[in-house]
Amino acid sequence: MASTVLFYLFAGIAIGCALSMVYHRNPLYSAVSLIGVFIALSCIYVTLAAPFIAAVQVLVYAGAIMVLVVFVIMLLNLDHDKPVTRLSYLYAIGGFLGVVLLAQTFFIFAVVKKGPKADIDPNVTVGETMSIGMNMYTKYLLPVEIVGILLLMAIIGGVILVRRLSQPEMELVVEHELELRHHEE
Amino acid sequence: MEPTLTNYLALSGTLFTIGAVGVIFKRNAIGMFMCIELMLNAVNLTFVAFSRYYADVTGQLFVFMVMSVAAAEAAVGLGIIIAFFRNRISVDVDDASLLKN
């Protein structure tokens, strides 16, 4: 009984925060609402007996990623999102597509009835850190290594995207550009 | 009465739909980025719920992978947004029309 109450409480918080995120035009309000969604989902992971995932959710999503997003919003000093002035009927089409997507999702979940029928075994400890660590570094070692390489690529990509060109490099680029225009003329 | 697997899947589907509709409605790149994060989280919830009800750890490991990809996406995506802002002084996706003509 208690778990049902908790589920509906956190599900309500998650859906409410998600709607508020889409509704608000100020990106900072959206970001704070999204943090609410992450925290509520983390609580749901705790009720699903996955404490490690819940902790990582708070650390990585609510901590690292959202701090980065808020940092970028403040760095760029973003304005409010402009409302759609032209093509406002696109809102209606977007809402309709959303309803269709929701119906499709529920249809898939309703039709595919291959889920386990038995109740949960309370003694199962798959969500514990020990079990996750054992599997991660034995059975799933290769995916973990691939994720490491992916993160390295992301670091290099982020640095290259954000860096400014140095003065000689910039001169080279400008020179090349001028040469191209000269050829066109 | 315990919440069943169907409850979790319904919550996940609802969150995913809100995220997808948000990507359509939002006009600045950061808002779209946050909606994508919401969709990734909805899928993560499905993985954890299935992992719980099948008593299999694979789903939770996959959630870990999804989180790593989301972190990489945040680094590269925000880098792209900053680079775009530098050139256009805006993050409105309608201004990203260099390849249009």
Side-chain angles (χ1 to χ4, degrees), chain A residues 34-102:
Chain A
L34 190 57
I35 293 175
V37 178
F38 290 158
I39 304 268
L41 278 179
S42 163
C43 297
I44 287 181
Y45 294 158
V46 172
T47 63
L48 278 169
F52 175 73
I53 296 295
V56 172
Q57 167 93 2
V58 172
L59 282 176
V60 174
Y61 270 117
I65 293 181
M66 288 321 287
V67 166
L68 202 60
V69 168
V70 171
F71 184 78
V72 169
I73 290 173
M74 293 191 163
L75 179 75
L76 302 185
N77 197 12
L78 289 184
D79 244 351
H80 288 210
D81 201 2
K82 282 172 285 181
V84 178
T85 45
R86 64 194 172 89
L87 306 178
S88 57
Y89 65 92
L90 285 182
Y91 274 115
I93 295 178
F96 175 70
L97 287 178
V99 172
V100 169
L101 181 62
L102 192 65

Side-chain angles (χ1 to χ4, degrees), chain A residues 4 24 38 57 61 140 162, chain B residues 1 26 37 41 58 86:
Chain A
T4 311
H24 278 299
F38 290 158
Q57 167 93 2
Y61 270 117
Y140 295 96
V162 180
Chain B
M1 180 187 99
K26 290 275 181 189
E37 295 290 329
N41 264 272
T58 311
R86 219 178 254 161

Side-chain angles (χ1 to χ4, degrees), chain A residues 3-4 8 21 24 30 38 48 56-57 61 81-82 98 102 109 114 116 120 126 132 135 140 147 162, chain B residues 1-2 7 9 17 21 25-27 37 41 52-54 57-58 60-61 65 67-68 70 86 92:
Chain A
S3 58
T4 311
Y8 282 111
M21 184 198 83
H24 278 299
S30 288
F38 290 158
L48 278 169
V56 172
Q57 167 93 2
Y61 270 117
D81 201 2
K82 282 172 285 181
L102 192 65
F109 288 154
K114 285 184 177 172
I120 314 163
V126 290
I132 291 179
N135 276 283
Y140 295 96
V147 162
V162 180
Chain B
M1 180 187 99
E2 293 272 309
N7 291 108
L9 295 184
T17 308
V21 172
F25 279 0
K26 290 275 181 189
R27 293 181 72 219
E37 295 290 329
N41 264 272
R52 171 70 169 150
Y53 280 85
Y54 281 104
V57 78
T58 311
Q60 299 198 10
L61 281 166
M65 307 292 165
M67 281 179 182
S68 313
R86 219 178 254 161
D92 196 328

